[in-house]
Amino acid sequence: MNDLEKLRNLIQPLKNIKNDDIYRSEAYSIYVVFFLSTDIFKNNIDVKDFMEKNTEFSFFIKKYKMELKDYLFNSRTLLIGRFIRIIQKADIGDLKTIMKVIHNIAFFEAKNNNMNNKLKPNEENYYDSLLNQFKRGN
């Protein structure tokens, strides 16, 4: 199971959670999988770029006065530790906004991967190539 599948499995039950404390505790595991994912972020610098370019994460960082200095992006575990502290104090509405971003990434990537797995119009099908290879002579 890859990281995107794990994220999708963790995110799905969030819709049914009514208790804010349970929602918050589930958010911890989702953040950990999200930030440690090498499927989503190949390099640590990609995490920094994402946080700077994503408006919801930028707003979240500014609202909770997170100081994301460069040394945090050398180690994803340090970054996760910082986020866990913020999640602990964050408003549940803000957490839900960030979860929507992660949800969109997890399901958008899945949709794109399914689309990319379909054959391109000029690409020959494997079974067609076998039939052409072993076709009967006239």
Side-chain angles (χ1 to χ4, degrees):
M1 180 180 292
N2 69 21
D3 294 337
L4 292 171
E5 291 170 348
K6 288 178 196 172
L7 273 176
R8 288 190 292 275
N9 288 334
L10 290 169
I11 291 172
Q12 282 298 350
L14 283 182
K15 294 181 230 174
N16 303 326
I17 297 175
K18 304 294 183 213
N19 186 319
D20 291 348
D21 292 328
I22 294 172
Y23 191 94
R24 189 179 310 277
S25 67
E26 292 296 321
Y28 293 131
S29 60
I30 293 170
Y31 280 101
V32 169
V33 171
F34 181 70
F35 284 124
L36 289 180
S37 172
T38 54
D39 295 338
I40 298 170
F41 304 111
K42 300 283 185 223
N43 301 311
N44 290 357
I45 195 70
D46 296 337
V47 178
K48 182 178 181 179
D49 291 340
F50 169 78
M51 287 188 179
E52 289 173 351
K53 293 177 183 172
N54 186 283
T55 55
E56 287 85 359
F57 267 89
S58 295
F59 176 75
F60 187 80
I61 290 165
K62 288 176 187 171
K63 182 175 181 178
Y64 292 99
K65 298 175 182 142
M66 293 176 63
E67 290 187 45
L68 299 179
K69 297 185 179 178
D70 288 339
Y71 75 89
L72 282 175
F73 296 100
N74 292 335
S75 170
R76 293 185 196 201
T77 53
L78 287 175
L79 185 65
I80 289 169
R82 181 69 53 92
F83 260 89
I84 286 174
R85 288 283 185 204
I86 299 303
I87 292 169
Q88 192 175 19
K89 300 172 188 173
D91 179 55
I92 202 70
D94 293 334
L95 290 179
K96 288 182 178 183
T97 301
I98 296 299
M99 281 302 141
K100 286 179 188 173
V101 172
I102 295 172
H103 176 275
N104 291 340
I105 290 170
F107 285 93
F108 178 76
E109 290 295 327
K111 185 177 176 183
N112 273 354
N113 285 344
N114 287 341
M115 290 175 66
N116 290 338
N117 288 339
K118 291 181 181 176
L119 291 175
K120 296 178 177 124
N122 60 358
E123 197 173 273
E124 189 176 18
N125 188 334
Y126 173 73
Y127 295 107
D128 289 340
S129 69
L130 284 176
L131 289 173
N132 287 336
Q133 185 179 359
F134 299 108
K135 70 180 178 181
R136 294 182 182 171
N138 289 336

